[in-house]
Amino acid sequence: MTSTLDPATRADVGRVTGADHGRVTGADHGREPEDVAARLLDSAAALSYDPMSEVDWEAPLDPDHFGLNPEWSTLYGTPLWDEMTHEQRITLTRHEVASIMSTGIWFEMILQQMVLRDQYCGKYAESDFQFALTEIADECRHSLMFARACRTMGIEAYVPRRASRELGRLFKTIAVSEAAYGGILVAEEVLDVMQRDWMRGENVLPLVRTTSKIHVVEESRHMTFARAQMREHMVGTSALRRRSAALLIAVAARVIVSNMVSRDVYAAAGLDVDRAVRAAKANTHHHVMMRTSSQHLTAFLADCGLLTTPAAAIYRTVHML
């Protein structure tokens, strides 16, 4: 089975959503959130996918294909990477992408709860409410897609550290308005940049390329919605609320990013885990990749007044700045 998500379809993303890489366009900047949501509903009706039929789940996995572009591996560019065999690199990248997918599932479950709470007893006839539920439906499909992708690669789920799981429970309980949508945007933006590379990687598993394409197309709408909601909620807010939201979003970002790649992926590749963790933490190449993937996010946060000095210090701990 061949996916219908071809390059021409990817080009349609900009045409249908009116968004550039999932970011609010100049036209959207001045629009009311209700107008943005109405346009996004039209986009969802025109360009949405069912991963269960779009992905060829039965195709054999080419043993020579990576799980993600090697350049995105946490060890790429280190002496340890140079020592690894080709087979170890293949195994490592497959486990890394499975870990990132698992983190995505974890946060998508948090996201769904926050969006449902935000729309509780909302105005059901309005586009805002209807797109919010459309987004939740998308996220359910994405989580199932990532879960099946991990299973197809023969990899069990990687779950965040216990402390992070508890912080996630706290965040989804206390985060509201701009803080909730800011946390959503963090997770979506960083993964979006990565997946735009993966879906074009000729040496990446077709399974990962296709699931990445689907996620990129549909998350572009979610990011546009989150940005519109954040701008609306930030109008007329006090300095104290702005600083508090900035700090909460930054803490959420640190928890998400620090859990993307589990230390257990190194054991799966037959590496000395402690040495691999040290190499990954000191990997300046990967630090640059993380800063690159965060540029649009941090620029937007700065524009909203949500990149305060304390928040910036937290972003630097995970190399997002």
Side-chain angles (χ1 to χ4, degrees):
M1 177 179 63
T2 302
S3 170
T4 59
L5 258 165
D6 54 19
T9 300
R10 294 203 300 274
D12 283 344
V13 177
R15 176 180 61 78
V16 176
T17 67
D20 174 19
H21 289 204
R23 291 159 191 109
V24 177
T25 62
D28 281 330
H29 186 88
R31 288 184 177 180
E32 293 295 323
E34 176 69 8
D35 295 335
V36 173
R39 180 176 58 78
L40 295 176
L41 277 172
D42 291 340
S43 167
L47 192 62
S48 292
Y49 298 94
D50 178 2
M52 296 305 114
S53 59
E54 287 292 333
V55 180
D56 188 351
W57 299 107
E58 304 304 321
L61 303 181
D62 188 325
D64 202 43
H65 279 172
F66 294 93
L68 45 75
N69 303 63
E71 294 79 6
W72 279 103
S73 174
T74 55
L75 294 181
Y76 183 86
T78 66
L80 181 53
W81 177 268
D82 294 336
E83 295 172 20
M84 293 166 60
T85 66
H86 181 68
E87 290 72 20
Q88 283 182 306
R89 293 172 181 175
I90 294 287
T91 300
L92 175 63
T93 58
R94 291 187 184 190
H95 279 264
E96 284 177 321
V97 78
S99 180
I100 293 170
M101 287 178 175
S102 296
T103 301
I105 294 171
W106 168 61
F107 198 77
E108 282 174 348
M109 294 179 74
I110 293 174
L111 177 160
Q112 291 172 57
Q113 293 177 68
M114 292 192 298
V115 173
L116 272 175
R117 187 178 67 235
D118 185 57
Q119 295 296 331
Y120 178 70
C121 287
K123 297 178 179 179
Y124 305 145
E126 292 191 355
S127 297
D128 260 16
F129 175 85
Q130 293 177 28
F131 183 76
L133 265 64
T134 299
E135 178 171 344
I136 291 169
D138 288 345
E139 298 296 6
C140 285
R141 291 196 306 274
H142 296 167
S143 293
L144 288 169
M145 175 177 72
F146 288 152
R148 186 164 180 180
C150 291
R151 186 178 69 185
T152 301
M153 289 187 288
I155 301 172
E156 292 188 7
Y158 286 98
V159 296
R161 297 182 293 272
R162 174 65 182 272
S164 298
R165 297 201 300 271
E166 297 309 317
L167 285 172
R169 293 183 194 277
L170 178 64
F171 179 72
K172 69 182 178 61
T173 301
I174 66 174
V176 296
S177 305
E178 67 279 353
Y181 284 102
I184 290 168
L185 192 61
V186 165
E188 292 174 341
E189 279 273 9
V190 174
L191 188 55
D192 178 76
V193 176
M194 293 180 180
Q195 289 185 318
R196 286 179 185 273
D197 270 359
W198 302 349
M199 73 187 197
R200 299 183 181 98
E202 294 182 0
N203 59 350
V204 174
L205 286 169
L207 169 70
V208 175
R209 294 178 65 182
T210 305
T211 55
S212 295
K213 292 173 190 175
I214 291 171
H215 201 245
V216 163
V217 168
E218 298 184 345
E219 290 294 333
S220 67
R221 294 189 286 264
H222 302 176
M223 290 186 286
T224 299
F225 185 67
R227 286 168 179 260
Q229 292 295 315
M230 289 177 70
R231 288 193 185 280
E232 179 186 31
H233 287 300
M234 292 307 298
V235 173
T237 58
S238 66
L240 177 60
R241 175 173 164 179
R242 191 179 296 267
R243 288 195 297 268
S244 299
L247 194 61
L248 188 55
I249 294 168
V251 170
R254 189 184 190 286
V255 172
I256 294 165
V257 171
S258 65
N259 278 280
M260 277 188 158
V261 177
S262 168
R263 62 183 282 124
D264 293 336
V265 303
Y266 305 119
L271 302 175
D272 179 309
V273 174
D274 290 336
R275 183 189 174 195
V277 169
R278 289 194 300 270
K281 286 183 177 179
N283 188 356
T284 55
H285 169 81
H286 195 257
H287 299 168
V288 171
M289 298 294 278
M290 287 304 303
R291 284 194 292 274
T292 299
S293 69
S294 306
Q295 284 178 346
H296 292 282
L297 169 67
T298 53
F300 174 77
L301 293 174
D303 187 50
C304 290
L306 293 169
L307 192 61
T308 59
T309 300
I314 294 174
Y315 290 120
R316 289 190 182 95
T317 65
V318 285
H319 310 289
M320 295 177 70
L321 276 176

